[in-house]
Amino acid sequence: RKSGLHKNAGRRFQFHMNLKIVCKFKEKVYPENGTMLRAQLQEFFQEGIVLMASNVKPHYLAISLAHQNLRTFKEWMDQIERMGIYTALIRPQSFGHIFSGLGRSPFLFYKSKNYDFELLKRALDISAKVLFEAGADQLILPVLRSKPVKSYLEVKEVIESLKLKDLELISAHAMSSCPMGDDEKTSLVDNKGILRGTQNVSIADASIIPTNIGESPQGTIMAMVQKSLDNFLNE
């Protein structure tokens, strides 16, 4: 946008919203011996919800416990061998707009739709139910000022009084600021990855994915970039 190559770059920026839940199990599970993404719960994928395990390292656990008081923080850090960190990923309908030209650094405007808030609450509810049934002793929810919860019923009470501003949301999946497609009005690059209005500017990253896809886009990014680069090199 700053270079004037395309005025619509960044107009429909999208990403996933992630809820990170810390789980203390009744027995030692030695989480550092495992790895993330070995299994996912995709039963609710059509609703826009995917549940998965995350890495457990001391610094990751510390970040996830940052909104707790010092006593709880120390108690849970000292029992890392009983901990699990789980992520509920949702596919939001909201999108953002990247502004540039108003200063040296661009900034992002993003307004979440009510649908996304309801989906976040649904994801929190499902995650808690699954984890307690899997043997969790306590959960720490990604909710400001919340204390550890010891039952699914307590989680329901937290959700009933929940406000969007109290959720601690994270995301690592930025997509669709320069979407690929056939329609010249809505897409910035063609199906070969070439920026519209140019002949030799190829974009090959997550920005060309047309929309957020509801799960980790690593494989999708690699496939689209492979296709884009093959076309670029061949021509």
Side-chain angles (χ1 to χ4, degrees):
R1 290 188 64 176
K2 281 187 174 183
S3 66
L5 284 171
H6 209 297
K7 65 180 181 178
N8 291 329
R11 284 190 179 273
R12 293 186 68 86
F13 174 80
Q14 292 186 311
F15 51 82
H16 296 138
M17 293 182 183
N18 296 355
L19 295 166
K20 188 170 285 188
I21 300 167
V22 184
C23 175
K24 183 196 291 185
F25 289 97
K26 298 173 184 177
E27 301 177 356
K28 294 180 180 181
V29 294
Y30 303 104
E32 288 189 87
N33 294 339
T35 184
M36 66 187 297
L37 300 181
R38 288 192 63 194
Q40 293 184 359
L41 179 62
Q42 294 203 348
E43 179 180 347
F44 307 97
F45 182 78
Q46 296 303 320
E47 292 185 44
I49 300 171
V50 174
L51 308 181
M52 68 194 81
S54 185
N55 281 333
V56 179
K57 299 290 182 183
H59 49 291
Y60 295 149
L61 182 58
I63 292 170
S64 301
L65 298 173
H67 61 289
Q68 295 296 309
N69 61 48
L70 187 59
R71 180 179 177 180
T72 301
F73 181 89
K74 186 176 186 308
E75 176 188 340
W76 284 55
M77 287 295 297
D78 289 344
Q79 300 181 67
I80 191 170
E81 69 277 1
R82 293 174 58 191
M83 299 297 161
I85 300 178
Y86 297 87
T87 299
L89 179 155
I90 78 154
R91 184 183 185 186
Q93 291 187 354
S94 309
F95 59 88
H97 191 138
I98 300 172
F99 290 91
S100 60
L102 301 179
R104 299 194 63 180
S105 299
F107 69 95
L108 170 67
F109 175 80
Y110 188 91
K111 184 176 182 180
S112 182
K113 297 181 179 179
N114 187 62
Y115 169 87
D116 297 335
F117 182 42
E118 295 302 317
L119 195 58
L120 286 165
K121 291 193 290 185
R122 168 80 168 145
L124 201 58
D125 181 284
I126 292 170
S127 301
K129 187 173 184 179
V130 167
L131 291 172
F132 277 121
E133 290 185 1
D137 184 44
Q138 295 182 59
L139 303 180
I140 287 183
L141 306 176
V143 179
L144 294 177
R145 297 175 296 279
S146 66
K147 298 178 181 179
V149 291
K150 300 180 180 180
S151 70
Y152 175 61
L153 183 60
E154 287 185 37
V155 175
K156 297 285 284 186
E157 292 174 354
V158 171
I159 293 175
E160 286 177 4
S161 60
L162 191 61
K163 296 181 180 179
L164 180 60
K165 65 180 181 181
D166 293 331
L167 281 172
E168 290 202 328
L169 299 173
I170 60 173
S171 183
H173 303 156
M175 292 162 277
S176 80
S177 56
C178 298
M180 174 187 282
D182 289 324
D183 190 341
E184 295 185 13
K185 294 182 179 179
T186 59
S187 61
L188 270 72
V189 301
D190 63 22
N191 287 326
K192 295 181 179 180
I194 301 298
L195 181 66
R196 295 194 183 282
T198 72
Q199 294 182 340
N200 61 352
V201 178
S202 177
I203 302 180
D205 61 18
S207 66
I208 66 175
I209 299 176
T211 182
N212 67 69
I213 61 173
E215 59 185 342
S216 175
Q218 287 187 47
T220 305
I221 293 168
M222 288 189 284
M224 295 186 74
V225 168
Q226 175 82 47
K227 182 177 184 296
S228 178
L229 290 179
D230 283 347
N231 286 325
F232 187 77
L233 293 172
N234 290 335
E235 294 185 9

